[in-house]
Amino acid sequence: MTGTDHNNPLQPSSAADSDHDAEQKAQRHQQRQQKLKEKVDERIAAATRDKGLLLVITGNGKGKSTAGFGMVCRTVGHGMRAAVAQFIKGSWACGERDLLQQHGVAFAVMATGFTWETQNRALDMAAAQAVWQQAKQYLQDPAIHLVLLDELTYMLTYDYIALEEVLDALTTRPQGQHVVITGRGCHRSLIELADTVSEVQSVKHAFDAGIRVQQGVDW
């Protein structure tokens, strides 16, 4: 049998009915999007303050430092100054550092490597303090638009840097300066102080399957 089966309730009775259904769907979609737009516009209109933000990126998933460096790149892309203090990381190559130093980004690096490699608390603490002293200078410079404190959370967990000293440096920094802190297990005091907190969770990681870290992806 060819043509329209008028005894089949599942088949549209005509092309006009199909067009009508499509038009109704389009109208409902437009109405939903208009309501969404109104809500977004309300929130944008209500956000009237400007301030230097403290952002925390924590959690056990991959990508915390990468996200922090993304904000450094964004800052530099807008022609503003940024500085980075890298805790934990060693003297091995860092793609972000190699690139950003070419664009005037200042770096202070704790070049002793990971604590499970050095196994020397006194050495690690001295290295952490040296980087922290430089970081404090960044946090006092109003010409620096954004400071990334990469893996700072570990320094507080290990008591290499005093929490009170960090909180003081953050609360007394220039008014318009933004700060990004990355690392697992962020101290609750930093989370409470922060304006924005993101938690990166691990679902799968290639390293757990025996795959080596990959240049350009992991470092």
Side-chain angles (χ1 to χ4, degrees):
M1 182 175 181
T2 61
T4 301
D5 184 355
H6 296 289
N7 294 321
N8 184 355
L10 299 179
Q11 181 174 333
S13 60
S14 67
D17 290 338
S18 296
D19 292 343
H20 179 69
D21 289 343
E23 183 178 347
Q24 285 188 323
K25 288 181 180 179
Q27 289 178 349
R28 288 195 295 268
H29 174 77
Q30 190 276 331
Q31 291 169 355
R32 288 194 299 268
Q33 295 304 107
Q34 178 59 34
K35 290 180 180 179
L36 175 60
K37 180 181 183 304
E38 290 172 357
K39 291 181 180 179
V40 172
D41 288 345
E42 285 181 8
R43 296 189 64 186
I44 292 175
T48 58
R49 295 190 300 133
D50 288 318
K51 61 166 291 189
L53 299 177
L54 173 60
L55 303 98
V56 169
I57 307 172
T58 190
N60 63 1
K62 170 180 167 52
K64 298 180 290 295
S65 294
T66 303
F69 275 113
M71 281 183 268
V72 174
C73 290
R74 181 176 293 164
T75 296
V76 174
H78 284 296
M80 295 178 286
R81 288 182 59 195
V84 178
Q86 282 188 292
F87 300 92
I88 293 294
K89 303 295 172 62
S91 58
W92 38 270
C94 171
E96 298 96 335
R97 185 168 69 240
D98 293 344
L99 173 65
L100 290 168
Q101 283 182 326
Q102 299 177 37
H103 295 275
V105 177
F107 274 78
V109 182
M110 183 177 162
T112 54
F114 297 104
T115 55
W116 57 85
E117 292 174 337
T118 62
Q119 301 177 15
N120 187 322
R121 178 177 173 81
L123 177 64
D124 289 337
M125 183 176 293
Q129 283 293 328
V131 174
W132 173 240
Q133 295 309 311
Q134 184 61 59
K136 286 198 295 184
Q137 293 185 31
Y138 298 154
L139 294 169
Q140 295 169 359
D141 188 345
I144 297 179
H145 185 75
L146 182 141
V147 177
L148 171 60
L149 303 176
D150 187 36
E151 313 283 18
L152 174 68
T153 60
Y154 294 97
M155 303 299 100
L156 299 177
T157 299
Y158 301 153
D159 291 324
Y160 290 174
I161 301 173
L163 173 64
E164 294 75 15
E165 191 173 345
V166 172
L167 294 174
D168 180 68
L170 292 173
T171 55
T172 60
R173 73 186 193 274
Q175 185 175 7
Q177 187 183 77
H178 305 298
V179 177
V180 183
I181 295 174
T182 68
R184 297 187 181 200
C186 185
H187 195 283
R188 63 182 180 275
S189 295
L190 289 179
I191 291 177
E192 291 171 359
L193 182 64
D195 299 285
T196 299
V197 178
S198 297
E199 187 172 22
V200 181
Q201 293 299 333
S202 180
V203 178
K204 294 176 68 176
H205 198 298
F207 184 71
D208 295 332
I211 300 172
R212 292 189 296 180
V213 294
Q214 303 294 303
Q215 186 175 9
V217 175
D218 295 297
W219 57 279

